Amino acid sequence: MNSSQAKAEIKRLAQQIEEHNHRYYGLNQPSISDAEYDRLLKKLMALEEQFPQHQQSTSPSQRVGAKVEGHLPTVHHQLKMLSLDNTYSIDEVKTWYKRLVKGLSGHQPPLSVEPKMDGVSCALTYAQGELILGATRGDGSVGEDVTHNVRTIRTIPLKLKGRGPSLLEVRGEVYMDKQDFAELNRQRKDSGEELFVNPRNATSGSLKLLDGRLAAKRHLKFLVHSLGTLEGQKPPESQWEFLRQCQQYGFAVNPHSRLCKNLDEVIDFCHDMEQKRQELAYDVDGVVIKVNDLKNQARLGTTLKSPRWAVAFKFPAYQATTLVRAITVQVGRTGVITPVAELEPVFCGGVTISRATLHNFDEIKRLGVNSGDRVLIERAGDVIPKIVKVTQKLSKGVFAIPKVCPSCSAKVVKEDLEQVAYRCVNPSCPKQLERGLLHFSSRGAMDIEGLGEAVIVQLLQKGHFKNFAYIYRLKKEDLLKLELFADKKAENLLQAILQSKKQSLSRLIYGLGIVNIGEKAASVLARHFGTIQALIKAKQEELTAIHEIGPVMASSIVDFFGQPPVRALINEFKDLGLNMKESRSPRGNKLAGKKFVFTGELEGLSRQAAGRMVEAQGGEVTSSLSAATDYVVAGASPGSKYAKALQLGVVVLNQKKFEEMIHG
Ligand code: IVH
């Protein structure tokens, strides 16, 4: 095949695959088998590899996901992403409607009613029909650029079907089906990762991943629900026309949405949806009611926070009553003891519930609950429901806070009168070690694939672990003695352990599981101190002088590294050859407060690297261009942003000028 034949074939295959994507994910009407689909995709990828010059940025092969370095860039929304006012009863909906009719001088407008998807709001921008930006809502004015992850969502067209406008920004909800969420949590449990609380949290976490290849595996979906910006085409007259247009562009719109002539139809829809919500594949937390006609929407206008032409009718949370069989306590990785209510299994909102969280012992006191009581439980799409109140006091006496740890029988203490948490005082408590090891090997920390809960529990039972350093002393014969371990699996795990020695210092700090130190703080500390030795020596004042580190975090760090076993562990890590350094890029302030936008290809310089250069000098990189942008850096074959920059009068720099600015 020659180059021009390959070009035509790549184009044909890409179109064909996207059509199948749309049929499968958008219309729910697949016309080929999964195997056939995979075959087409493989064929396309092979051709693209052979003829990389013909690969397009909108190719379906790009849905496998790309990686972003550092952190997600911020995006300034051209048009603020508002939220909705909530109503909690039909009476409140009626009151809202009355006000609406008054605002329209007595006109009773038709209303578009749509399920309120319990997902994550996202804005997608298309320039000349091609997806150029996917951004989260953030605080409504500034969100995060999640384009690399949005590209992996198959219900999102990378290229609009037909003739799209020159610029289109649609807004909608990224979400995860309940089944996919359950499967994801099952996998996370197996590999010892923290569980997501509900599909919305899982969606949000997935959208914010830096590695699009991981996001691609999360089965995210997207339903469009509102119009942002539109340029170069007549705007639709109504919400209903907008949704229809979106469908023609290749987006999925919610098939349950209806156009209602009057309020009675709206009320029927709300009742109907509340009945149906359990059967839906995804979480819906209410109904969104919108004035259909866009001119009437404009007449009604918006407040600072939300439009007057729309409202959310929120469903009540799922509730049920059941018996508390027992109250058990769990030990976490930092030794905190958490009570959990074991319940008589009860069906609630489509799932069977057998446990409820009690958060802490103050909560038990507040509820006055003990084993044997009948209680009202509630779940709002969450995995673990909560107890609302005791409905029938059947137990005698009050629940006694355990005096000893259920795992190691060491003393349990309330360390600080201000805090509600009780802790097991034994630093070598096996349960703490188990939870700590799981955290240490988890994906956000040392990322040791294969060292999950089942393996750790067995290794602990066999006495292989006394502290985290023992991971690096494991031998093949130790692993072969475990259940379901054969040669290959053991080798893979040992290889993963070896690889993890190279992880960054920030991951190591995070993995140590210091109380109050999350991923972000760990990365701040690693970059500030550069080596673990410098961090160990840091005094409280030096720590609190760092902008992102508060006094509570600082004390946690000082206390943690003050413990002799921790210091010994760090020495062991050193002897075992773990990386304990982080490169500290010198920071300047030549570009303090300046906002940069990049467009086109830079020669020998990736976007990420260029972005880091800007940030290292105190500047900021954004994806969307507005009058607030200071510089547009235009590389080869720049996109529509170049023309827009000229229109807005923003200074355009070529690569040479940009590099002079940084280095000069
Ligand atoms: S319209 C002005 N329609 O609900 C806001 N929003 O509580 C226009 N949501 O941030 C939004 N389903 O993320 C609209 N069918 C739907 C929706 C929906 C879910 C979310 C949206 C918004 C939040 C407000």
Side-chain angles (χ1 to χ4, degrees), residues 110-249:
L111 300 157
S112 171
V113 287
E114 304 160 18
K116 187 170 186 305
M117 307 293 299
D118 196 6
V120 176
S121 204
C122 202
L124 307 178
T125 308
Y126 292 80
Q128 316 300 349
E130 288 189 11
L131 175 70
I132 56 161
L133 176 68
T136 60
R137 175 176 181 275
D139 65 2
S141 302
V142 180
E144 283 172 315
D145 182 343
V146 289
T147 317
H148 62 297
N149 291 333
V150 154
R151 276 181 190 285
T152 68
I153 303 176
R154 303 207 172 191
T155 46
I156 291 179
L158 299 175
K159 205 172 179 173
L160 299 180
K161 284 165 67 154
R163 256 182 74 86
S166 55
L167 193 76
L168 172 70
E169 191 217 276
V170 296
R171 291 162 178 193
E173 210 74 358
V174 178
Y175 66 99
M176 192 182 280
D177 278 344
K178 293 184 225 175
Q179 231 175 15
D180 289 324
F181 163 71
E183 174 56 22
L184 173 64
N185 258 356
R186 199 189 56 70
Q187 285 170 8
R188 288 175 76 86
K189 186 159 187 242
D190 282 354
S191 58
E193 288 167 281
E194 212 168 303
L195 299 191
F196 287 116
V197 180
N198 54 35
R200 178 172 21 87
N201 283 5
T203 304
S204 174
S206 306
L207 262 186
K208 291 185 181 174
L209 285 166
L210 293 176
D211 190 348
R213 289 167 304 185
L214 296 179
K217 294 186 189 142
R218 296 278 172 94
H219 302 284
L220 297 176
K221 292 184 172 173
F222 179 80
L223 283 173
V224 66
H225 59 52
S226 44
L227 174 62
T229 314
L230 175 69
E231 282 173 25
Q233 202 177 68
K234 198 167 129 293
E237 288 188 0
S238 64
Q239 166 72 1
W240 213 240
E241 188 186 326
F242 165 69
L243 292 177
R244 206 178 42 227
Q245 177 75 74
C246 283
Q247 227 167 352
Q248 282 160 4
Y249 285 146

Side-chain angles (χ1 to χ4, degrees), residues 161-436:
K161 284 165 67 154
R163 256 182 74 86
S166 55
L167 193 76
L168 172 70
E169 191 217 276
V170 296
R171 291 162 178 193
E173 210 74 358
V174 178
Y175 66 99
M176 192 182 280
D177 278 344
K178 293 184 225 175
Q179 231 175 15
D180 289 324
F181 163 71
E183 174 56 22
L184 173 64
N185 258 356
R186 199 189 56 70
Q187 285 170 8
R188 288 175 76 86
K189 186 159 187 242
D190 282 354
S191 58
E193 288 167 281
E194 212 168 303
L195 299 191
F196 287 116
V197 180
N198 54 35
R200 178 172 21 87
N201 283 5
T203 304
S204 174
S206 306
L207 262 186
K208 291 185 181 174
L209 285 166
L210 293 176
D211 190 348
R213 289 167 304 185
L214 296 179
K217 294 186 189 142
R218 296 278 172 94
H219 302 284
L220 297 176
K221 292 184 172 173
F222 179 80
L223 283 173
V224 66
H225 59 52
S226 44
L227 174 62
T229 314
L230 175 69
E231 282 173 25
Q233 202 177 68
K234 198 167 129 293
E237 288 188 0
S238 64
Q239 166 72 1
W240 213 240
E241 188 186 326
F242 165 69
L243 292 177
R244 206 178 42 227
Q245 177 75 74
C246 283
Q247 227 167 352
Q248 282 160 4
Y249 285 146
F251 289 102
V253 300
N254 199 314
H256 295 283
S257 302
R258 290 281 170 273
L259 184 58
C260 295
K261 288 194 286 297
N262 52 44
L263 185 62
D264 286 342
E265 286 185 14
V266 171
I267 295 169
D268 285 348
F269 182 86
C270 290
H271 288 314
D272 206 36
M273 214 58 224
E274 199 178 332
Q275 293 301 315
K276 267 197 205 140
R277 76 159 154 157
Q278 271 187 46
E279 298 152 27
L280 296 179
Y282 42 80
D283 277 339
V284 164
D285 60 344
V287 169
V288 182
I289 310 165
K290 303 173 186 172
V291 168
N292 186 42
D293 189 295
L294 260 63
K295 281 207 188 79
N296 280 336
Q297 288 187 4
R299 267 180 80 185
L300 290 157
T302 68
T303 65
L304 261 188
K305 213 181 110 262
S306 47
R308 290 195 194 89
W309 46 265
V311 80
F313 166 68
K314 298 271 280 193
F315 296 145
Y318 291 115
Q319 290 189 329
T321 58
T322 186
L323 273 183
V324 177
R325 277 181 172 171
I327 293 178
T328 54
V329 287
Q330 292 179 338
V331 189
R333 69 179 155 84
T334 55
V336 172
I337 312 254
T338 329
V340 176
E342 311 285 343
L343 307 169
E344 188 79 41
V346 59
F347 200 64
C348 177
V351 287
T352 303
I353 306 292
S354 52
R355 309 183 94 192
T357 172
L358 283 163
H359 304 293
N360 53 54
F361 296 103
D362 279 11
E363 176 83 348
I364 298 189
K365 211 158 132 195
R366 189 183 68 77
L367 291 165
V369 65
N370 202 353
S371 72
D373 290 341
R374 182 163 279 282
V375 290
L376 178 69
I377 60 158
E378 178 179 294
R379 62 176 278 270
D382 299 357
V383 187
I384 306 178
K386 60 175 188 200
I387 294 183
V388 183
K389 60 176 181 190
V390 173
T391 53
Q392 217 180 349
K393 187 84 199 149
L394 298 171
S395 66
K396 292 198 186 70
V398 285
F399 178 78
I401 299 170
K403 296 209 164 35
V404 296
C405 169
S407 162
C408 68
S409 305
K411 217 164 73 185
V412 163
V413 296
K414 189 171 182 177
E415 280 179 345
D416 184 336
L417 281 180
E418 312 245 302
Q419 284 180 7
V420 286
Y422 283 77
R423 263 176 224 282
C424 157
V425 292
N426 175 10
S428 10
C429 165
K431 200 69 190 179
Q432 281 186 49
L433 187 56
E434 177 194 308
R435 304 325 289 177

